[in-house]
Amino acid sequence: MIADPRKPERSPTDIVLRANGLCKRYGKRWVVDGVSLEVRRGDVFGFLGPNGAGKSTTMRMLTGLVRPDAGTVELLGHDLHRRPTAALARVGAIVEAPALYPHLSADRNLEVFSLLSGGASPERRAEVLRLVGLEGRGHDRVKSYSHGMKQRLAIAQALLPLPELILLDEPTNGLDPGGMVEVRQLLRHLASQEGITLFLSSHLLSEVEQVCNRVAVIDQGHVLVQGEVRELLREQTFLQITAEPVELARQILETLDYVRQVIVQEGTLRIDAPLDSAAAINAALVHGGCRVSALVPGRQSLEEFYLGLLEKRS
Amino acid sequence: MTHLLRVEILKLSRRPRTYLGYAGILLLLVPMLLGLLYGQPDRHLRHEIGPEFHVVGTFVNALFMARRMMEPCLWFFLPLFIAMVAGDLVAGEAAEGTLRALLVRPVRRVPVLLAKFTVAVLHATALTYFLGLSALGLGALFFGWGDLILIEHGIYVLGSGEALARLAAAYTAAIPGMVVVAALALFLSVLVDNSNGAIIATMMLLFVSFTLGGLPYFEAIQPYLFTTHMGVWSSLFEDPIPWSEIARSMAWLAAYCIAFVGAAALVFSRKDILS
């Protein structure tokens, strides 16, 4: 394989983003309180949380826009506070809505932003425009762009410094369904084909489930959980049972030691129990006089997992 | 730093607001031109100097017009046009959100601010010279050239060569005062997230300082007001030119400039970007 001569060498670290004990207080209120995150090279990391959970403030601390009251941020092995230029040299970021100069053309916008990262050739600017599907529109003023086009142009400017890590705040916010699909496809392409680590802040659970391999959930300034999406959801398994009569089945299930919770939902029973206890549960129900017509292992969606997590907390 | 400067020049040169000042100056020249053409200025000036002086010819020429434009423009209009640009440099970007896009790049904040201040200085300088050159140009077109007769602390008649040199020196000496206005507007621009707030606050502080400078009860503080020293350019039309006084005023203006830019840098380097 021939190395791309334009591409600077990757930083040797495998942890591309590390936040340690981040805290931020506005007035008397701690908006972020002890947030620690770890994003590994190659991750598409979802940062989830309801509105007002502290996502944006954390995002701003991760990009140096807001100074934490406590804690540290390391980007690509460099301390953001002590060595901000080194830390941000190979990082692209979009914080909140795409912010561009409306009176400049797309290409001029890219020129402005590239100059801040050491410059980019007109070929590179054309390349990133092509990558985000804006080829041929580089000379149009940004004020004539739709929201989706602005979002794609903002991603293009984040791609200029050949980044190893891109941080995106609500990347599909305000887009129509078509625009959302386009941006998601672009993100998948960036992660799988360009090898860029992505950190996405979002409150769209389906989006995160579709795109991300790891997540962290934040609420009221605290990280509630962090890990591989697959692992987190694997832990959240259940058995769905269709049995008659339902009330008798519920009573029998509640007597079993290994059944932690029984919920009756629209005539079916959903139970929290080890999956390998399915045979024993079936036997107990049949022995107790129930007719079991279905016993299906299930897995929570990210949405159910997330809502359950927030419910537990509240 | 050169990259940052290029970025700021590129942005400023493409912003319509930058050119409002130039358009404003051209608009201001029109009433002055009409006044000099149809307002019988010679009659008023002859009346002003008294009957013991006999003036042959006319007072009004290009040099006279360039001199006459200085008062209203350097005390009010240019500070306003300069505040409109400098006050927008940080607050305008904060309001548009581009400040956060700028600061997530590998740049240090103080050089970013210094680049912004540099373009504000360039803008103030260009605008001041544009005023002088456009007044001279239009004046030459309508009234021609000649000696400059000044009725300031006495009556002086300057030959056209010397008058031109003094005008050039006076316009140049006006720049530091304009730069202080730009520095003040930039400082206020760092404090707020709305450029209108920064512009209005700059003009208000300017008026307050002018007012304090004009009232006899505040004589004790008048030497320390920056507006007291902004008018240093007028000393260049005195005879002999009070160089030590000019140097002292320049030092005061430099000190104000350093104070405003230093304070702006301090605040900007620690500011949480929340817009």
mmCIF file of all heavy atoms in Angstrom, chain A residues 250-281:
data_model
loop_
_atom_site.group_PDB
_atom_site.id
_atom_site.type_symbol
_atom_site.label_atom_id
_atom_site.label_comp_id
_atom_site.label_asym_id
_atom_site.label_seq_id
_atom_site.Cartn_x
_atom_site.Cartn_y
_atom_site.Cartn_z
ATOM 1 N N ARG A 250 -48.678 -14.785 35.400
ATOM 2 C CA ARG A 250 -47.948 -13.733 36.146
ATOM 3 C C ARG A 250 -47.668 -14.178 37.587
ATOM 4 O O ARG A 250 -46.566 -14.049 38.098
ATOM 5 C CB ARG A 250 -48.769 -12.441 36.160
ATOM 6 C CG ARG A 250 -48.023 -11.250 36.724
ATOM 7 C CD ARG A 250 -48.887 -10.002 36.746
ATOM 8 N NE ARG A 250 -50.026 -10.154 37.656
ATOM 9 C CZ ARG A 250 -49.951 -10.042 38.985
ATOM 10 N NH1 ARG A 250 -48.811 -9.768 39.561
ATOM 11 N NH2 ARG A 250 -51.024 -10.218 39.735
ATOM 12 N N GLN A 251 -48.722 -14.833 38.195
ATOM 13 C CA GLN A 251 -48.553 -15.277 39.587
ATOM 14 C C GLN A 251 -47.470 -16.349 39.681
ATOM 15 O O GLN A 251 -46.639 -16.338 40.594
ATOM 16 C CB GLN A 251 -49.880 -15.823 40.113
ATOM 17 C CG GLN A 251 -50.881 -14.716 40.429
ATOM 18 C CD GLN A 251 -52.279 -15.254 40.704
ATOM 19 O OE1 GLN A 251 -52.483 -16.473 40.826
ATOM 20 N NE2 GLN A 251 -53.246 -14.365 40.772
ATOM 21 N N ILE A 252 -47.463 -17.259 38.733
ATOM 22 C CA ILE A 252 -46.457 -18.336 38.747
ATOM 23 C C ILE A 252 -45.057 -17.735 38.576
ATOM 24 O O ILE A 252 -44.128 -18.082 39.312
ATOM 25 C CB ILE A 252 -46.745 -19.377 37.630
ATOM 26 C CG1 ILE A 252 -48.054 -20.111 37.937
ATOM 27 C CG2 ILE A 252 -45.591 -20.357 37.461
ATOM 28 C CD1 ILE A 252 -48.613 -20.926 36.774
ATOM 29 N N LEU A 253 -44.948 -16.834 37.606
ATOM 30 C CA LEU A 253 -43.624 -16.245 37.310
ATOM 31 C C LEU A 253 -43.078 -15.490 38.523
ATOM 32 O O LEU A 253 -41.879 -15.506 38.791
ATOM 33 C CB LEU A 253 -43.705 -15.311 36.097
ATOM 34 C CG LEU A 253 -43.924 -16.010 34.755
ATOM 35 C CD1 LEU A 253 -44.283 -14.995 33.676
ATOM 36 C CD2 LEU A 253 -42.668 -16.785 34.344
ATOM 37 N N GLU A 254 -43.940 -14.834 39.242
ATOM 38 C CA GLU A 254 -43.491 -14.053 40.394
ATOM 39 C C GLU A 254 -42.979 -14.930 41.540
ATOM 40 O O GLU A 254 -42.289 -14.427 42.427
ATOM 41 C CB GLU A 254 -44.623 -13.145 40.881
ATOM 42 C CG GLU A 254 -44.748 -11.895 40.006
ATOM 43 C CD GLU A 254 -45.901 -10.983 40.371
ATOM 44 O OE1 GLU A 254 -46.760 -11.396 41.186
ATOM 45 O OE2 GLU A 254 -45.962 -9.867 39.811
ATOM 46 N N THR A 255 -43.316 -16.212 41.495
ATOM 47 C CA THR A 255 -42.828 -17.099 42.564
ATOM 48 C C THR A 255 -41.436 -17.633 42.240
ATOM 49 O O THR A 255 -40.785 -18.199 43.101
ATOM 50 C CB THR A 255 -43.776 -18.307 42.752
ATOM 51 O OG1 THR A 255 -43.771 -19.058 41.527
ATOM 52 C CG2 THR A 255 -45.185 -17.865 43.103
ATOM 53 N N LEU A 256 -40.994 -17.455 40.997
ATOM 54 C CA LEU A 256 -39.694 -18.019 40.601
ATOM 55 C C LEU A 256 -38.547 -17.093 41.030
ATOM 56 O O LEU A 256 -38.615 -15.884 40.796
ATOM 57 C CB LEU A 256 -39.650 -18.228 39.078
ATOM 58 C CG LEU A 256 -40.748 -19.148 38.504
ATOM 59 C CD1 LEU A 256 -40.685 -19.162 36.974
ATOM 60 C CD2 LEU A 256 -40.619 -20.567 39.053
ATOM 61 N N ASP A 257 -37.522 -17.698 41.672
ATOM 62 C CA ASP A 257 -36.404 -16.896 42.211
ATOM 63 C C ASP A 257 -35.654 -16.136 41.129
ATOM 64 O O ASP A 257 -35.185 -15.028 41.352
ATOM 65 C CB ASP A 257 -35.385 -17.829 42.911
ATOM 66 C CG ASP A 257 -35.989 -18.483 44.130
ATOM 67 O OD1 ASP A 257 -37.029 -17.962 44.601
ATOM 68 O OD2 ASP A 257 -35.430 -19.492 44.599
ATOM 69 N N TYR A 258 -35.455 -16.792 39.986
ATOM 70 C CA TYR A 258 -34.595 -16.202 38.954
ATOM 71 C C TYR A 258 -35.337 -15.186 38.082
ATOM 72 O O TYR A 258 -34.761 -14.613 37.173
ATOM 73 C CB TYR A 258 -33.952 -17.292 38.078
ATOM 74 C CG TYR A 258 -34.904 -18.413 37.700
ATOM 75 C CD1 TYR A 258 -35.734 -18.282 36.611
ATOM 76 C CD2 TYR A 258 -34.957 -19.591 38.455
ATOM 77 C CE1 TYR A 258 -36.608 -19.297 36.272
ATOM 78 C CE2 TYR A 258 -35.832 -20.606 38.126
ATOM 79 C CZ TYR A 258 -36.662 -20.457 37.029
ATOM 80 O OH TYR A 258 -37.538 -21.443 36.702
ATOM 81 N N VAL A 259 -36.600 -14.961 38.327
ATOM 82 C CA VAL A 259 -37.338 -13.924 37.580
ATOM 83 C C VAL A 259 -37.290 -12.627 38.398
ATOM 84 O O VAL A 259 -37.773 -12.573 39.524
ATOM 85 C CB VAL A 259 -38.793 -14.345 37.311
ATOM 86 C CG1 VAL A 259 -39.582 -13.207 36.677
ATOM 87 C CG2 VAL A 259 -38.822 -15.572 36.423
ATOM 88 N N ARG A 260 -36.644 -11.612 37.823
ATOM 89 C CA ARG A 260 -36.420 -10.376 38.580
ATOM 90 C C ARG A 260 -37.599 -9.403 38.466
ATOM 91 O O ARG A 260 -37.870 -8.640 39.365
ATOM 92 C CB ARG A 260 -35.136 -9.699 38.090
ATOM 93 C CG ARG A 260 -33.881 -10.496 38.440
ATOM 94 C CD ARG A 260 -32.628 -9.792 37.966
ATOM 95 N NE ARG A 260 -32.456 -9.858 36.530
ATOM 96 C CZ ARG A 260 -31.698 -10.755 35.916
ATOM 97 N NH1 ARG A 260 -31.043 -11.676 36.616
ATOM 98 N NH2 ARG A 260 -31.577 -10.757 34.602
ATOM 99 N N GLN A 261 -38.256 -9.434 37.332
ATOM 100 C CA GLN A 261 -39.349 -8.478 37.130
ATOM 101 C C GLN A 261 -40.347 -9.059 36.131
ATOM 102 O O GLN A 261 -39.938 -9.728 35.164
ATOM 103 C CB GLN A 261 -38.779 -7.160 36.583
ATOM 104 C CG GLN A 261 -39.767 -6.030 36.594
ATOM 105 C CD GLN A 261 -39.196 -4.770 35.927
ATOM 106 O OE1 GLN A 261 -38.265 -4.853 35.126
ATOM 107 N NE2 GLN A 261 -39.756 -3.635 36.255
ATOM 108 N N VAL A 262 -41.621 -8.821 36.367
ATOM 109 C CA VAL A 262 -42.662 -9.274 35.427
ATOM 110 C C VAL A 262 -43.511 -8.056 35.052
ATOM 111 O O VAL A 262 -43.989 -7.338 35.925
ATOM 112 C CB VAL A 262 -43.575 -10.352 36.054
ATOM 113 C CG1 VAL A 262 -44.625 -10.846 35.045
ATOM 114 C CG2 VAL A 262 -42.762 -11.523 36.587
ATOM 115 N N ILE A 263 -43.642 -7.852 33.759
ATOM 116 C CA ILE A 263 -44.491 -6.745 33.298
ATOM 117 C C ILE A 263 -45.513 -7.328 32.317
ATOM 118 O O ILE A 263 -45.139 -8.079 31.404
ATOM 119 C CB ILE A 263 -43.660 -5.656 32.579
ATOM 120 C CG1 ILE A 263 -42.610 -5.084 33.532
ATOM 121 C CG2 ILE A 263 -44.553 -4.544 32.047
ATOM 122 C CD1 ILE A 263 -41.555 -4.250 32.847
ATOM 123 N N VAL A 264 -46.770 -6.963 32.534
ATOM 124 C CA VAL A 264 -47.809 -7.418 31.602
ATOM 125 C C VAL A 264 -48.053 -6.269 30.626
ATOM 126 O O VAL A 264 -48.338 -5.144 31.040
ATOM 127 C CB VAL A 264 -49.115 -7.779 32.342
ATOM 128 C CG1 VAL A 264 -50.193 -8.239 31.345
ATOM 129 C CG2 VAL A 264 -48.853 -8.854 33.380
ATOM 130 N N GLN A 265 -47.854 -6.582 29.361
ATOM 131 C CA GLN A 265 -48.006 -5.543 28.325
ATOM 132 C C GLN A 265 -48.922 -6.061 27.224
ATOM 133 O O GLN A 265 -48.555 -7.023 26.542
ATOM 134 C CB GLN A 265 -46.651 -5.234 27.687
ATOM 135 C CG GLN A 265 -45.885 -4.160 28.381
ATOM 136 C CD GLN A 265 -44.561 -3.894 27.671
ATOM 137 O OE1 GLN A 265 -44.118 -4.669 26.831
ATOM 138 N NE2 GLN A 265 -43.943 -2.795 28.026
ATOM 139 N N GLU A 266 -50.064 -5.476 27.089
ATOM 140 C CA GLU A 266 -50.998 -5.825 26.008
ATOM 141 C C GLU A 266 -51.185 -7.332 25.862
ATOM 142 O O GLU A 266 -51.018 -7.899 24.780
ATOM 143 C CB GLU A 266 -50.507 -5.227 24.686
ATOM 144 C CG GLU A 266 -50.538 -3.709 24.694
ATOM 145 C CD GLU A 266 -49.734 -3.122 23.547
ATOM 146 O OE1 GLU A 266 -49.277 -3.889 22.694
ATOM 147 O OE2 GLU A 266 -49.579 -1.896 23.551
ATOM 148 N N GLY A 267 -51.458 -7.997 26.987
ATOM 149 C CA GLY A 267 -51.770 -9.425 26.958
ATOM 150 C C GLY A 267 -50.561 -10.336 26.904
ATOM 151 O O GLY A 267 -50.698 -11.562 26.898
ATOM 152 N N THR A 268 -49.371 -9.781 26.827
ATOM 153 C CA THR A 268 -48.164 -10.622 26.869
ATOM 154 C C THR A 268 -47.362 -10.271 28.122
ATOM 155 O O THR A 268 -47.543 -9.204 28.716
ATOM 156 C CB THR A 268 -47.275 -10.434 25.622
ATOM 157 O OG1 THR A 268 -46.835 -9.092 25.605
ATOM 158 C CG2 THR A 268 -48.015 -10.760 24.343
ATOM 159 N N LEU A 269 -46.507 -11.203 28.475
ATOM 160 C CA LEU A 269 -45.692 -10.978 29.675
ATOM 161 C C LEU A 269 -44.255 -10.733 29.253
ATOM 162 O O LEU A 269 -43.705 -11.474 28.432
ATOM 163 C CB LEU A 269 -45.751 -12.220 30.566
ATOM 164 C CG LEU A 269 -47.140 -12.531 31.101
ATOM 165 C CD1 LEU A 269 -47.531 -13.955 30.797
ATOM 166 C CD2 LEU A 269 -47.194 -12.245 32.586
ATOM 167 N N ARG A 270 -43.707 -9.711 29.820
ATOM 168 C CA ARG A 270 -42.294 -9.422 29.519
ATOM 169 C C ARG A 270 -41.535 -9.578 30.831
ATOM 170 O O ARG A 270 -41.847 -8.890 31.809
ATOM 171 C CB ARG A 270 -42.192 -8.004 28.985
ATOM 172 C CG ARG A 270 -40.815 -7.633 28.581
ATOM 173 C CD ARG A 270 -40.890 -6.288 27.907
ATOM 174 N NE ARG A 270 -39.599 -5.651 27.987
ATOM 175 C CZ ARG A 270 -39.165 -4.795 27.101
ATOM 176 N NH1 ARG A 270 -39.917 -4.448 26.087
ATOM 177 N NH2 ARG A 270 -37.983 -4.259 27.225
ATOM 178 N N ILE A 271 -40.589 -10.492 30.839
ATOM 179 C CA ILE A 271 -39.921 -10.744 32.122
ATOM 180 C C ILE A 271 -38.416 -10.544 32.035
ATOM 181 O O ILE A 271 -37.783 -10.789 31.008
ATOM 182 C CB ILE A 271 -40.245 -12.167 32.657
ATOM 183 C CG1 ILE A 271 -39.644 -13.233 31.750
ATOM 184 C CG2 ILE A 271 -41.716 -12.381 32.843
ATOM 185 C CD1 ILE A 271 -39.644 -14.583 32.420
ATOM 186 N N ASP A 272 -37.886 -10.055 33.142
ATOM 187 C CA ASP A 272 -36.449 -9.857 33.263
ATOM 188 C C ASP A 272 -35.897 -11.093 33.969
ATOM 189 O O ASP A 272 -36.101 -11.280 35.169
ATOM 190 C CB ASP A 272 -36.205 -8.571 34.083
ATOM 191 C CG ASP A 272 -34.732 -8.307 34.269
ATOM 192 O OD1 ASP A 272 -33.900 -9.040 33.688
ATOM 193 O OD2 ASP A 272 -34.389 -7.354 35.014
ATOM 194 N N ALA A 273 -35.250 -11.948 33.175
ATOM 195 C CA ALA A 273 -34.711 -13.198 33.728
ATOM 196 C C ALA A 273 -33.587 -13.676 32.813
ATOM 197 O O ALA A 273 -33.540 -13.285 31.645
ATOM 198 C CB ALA A 273 -35.822 -14.246 33.787
ATOM 199 N N PRO A 274 -32.672 -14.509 33.323
ATOM 200 C CA PRO A 274 -31.599 -15.008 32.453
ATOM 201 C C PRO A 274 -32.187 -15.775 31.268
ATOM 202 O O PRO A 274 -33.168 -16.519 31.435
ATOM 203 C CB PRO A 274 -30.796 -15.934 33.362
ATOM 204 C CG PRO A 274 -31.187 -15.582 34.757
ATOM 205 C CD PRO A 274 -32.558 -15.021 34.692
ATOM 206 N N LEU A 275 -31.564 -15.577 30.103
ATOM 207 C CA LEU A 275 -32.106 -16.228 28.901
ATOM 208 C C LEU A 275 -32.049 -17.750 29.004
ATOM 209 O O LEU A 275 -32.902 -18.453 28.473
ATOM 210 C CB LEU A 275 -31.344 -15.757 27.661
ATOM 211 C CG LEU A 275 -31.564 -14.298 27.235
ATOM 212 C CD1 LEU A 275 -30.815 -13.999 25.940
ATOM 213 C CD2 LEU A 275 -33.035 -13.971 27.057
ATOM 214 N N ASP A 276 -31.042 -18.268 29.732
ATOM 215 C CA ASP A 276 -30.915 -19.735 29.809
ATOM 216 C C ASP A 276 -31.938 -20.356 30.762
ATOM 217 O O ASP A 276 -31.969 -21.567 30.952
ATOM 218 C CB ASP A 276 -29.477 -20.137 30.176
ATOM 219 C CG ASP A 276 -29.022 -19.510 31.484
ATOM 220 O OD1 ASP A 276 -29.876 -18.902 32.165
ATOM 221 O OD2 ASP A 276 -27.822 -19.624 31.826
ATOM 222 N N SER A 277 -32.788 -19.498 31.354
ATOM 223 C CA SER A 277 -33.832 -20.050 32.232
ATOM 224 C C SER A 277 -35.140 -20.279 31.467
ATOM 225 O O SER A 277 -36.158 -20.638 32.071
ATOM 226 C CB SER A 277 -34.074 -19.114 33.419
ATOM 227 O OG SER A 277 -34.565 -17.877 32.930
ATOM 228 N N ALA A 278 -35.098 -20.079 30.164
ATOM 229 C CA ALA A 278 -36.322 -20.155 29.357
ATOM 230 C C ALA A 278 -37.018 -21.517 29.486
ATOM 231 O O ALA A 278 -38.247 -21.593 29.663
ATOM 232 C CB ALA A 278 -36.001 -19.846 27.898
ATOM 233 N N ALA A 279 -36.223 -22.593 29.433
ATOM 234 C CA ALA A 279 -36.815 -23.942 29.494
ATOM 235 C C ALA A 279 -37.490 -24.158 30.844
ATOM 236 O O ALA A 279 -38.612 -24.681 30.937
ATOM 237 C CB ALA A 279 -35.729 -24.980 29.233
ATOM 238 N N ALA A 280 -36.817 -23.738 31.910
ATOM 239 C CA ALA A 280 -37.366 -23.913 33.259
ATOM 240 C C ALA A 280 -38.642 -23.097 33.431
ATOM 241 O O ALA A 280 -39.614 -23.557 34.051
ATOM 242 C CB ALA A 280 -36.308 -23.493 34.286
ATOM 243 N N ILE A 281 -38.656 -21.909 32.867
ATOM 244 C CA ILE A 281 -39.845 -21.050 32.963
ATOM 245 C C ILE A 281 -41.019 -21.708 32.222
ATOM 246 O O ILE A 281 -42.146 -21.778 32.735
ATOM 247 C CB ILE A 281 -39.531 -19.643 32.399
ATOM 248 C CG1 ILE A 281 -38.630 -18.889 33.374
ATOM 249 C CG2 ILE A 281 -40.793 -18.846 32.116
ATOM 250 C CD1 ILE A 281 -38.030 -17.613 32.834
#
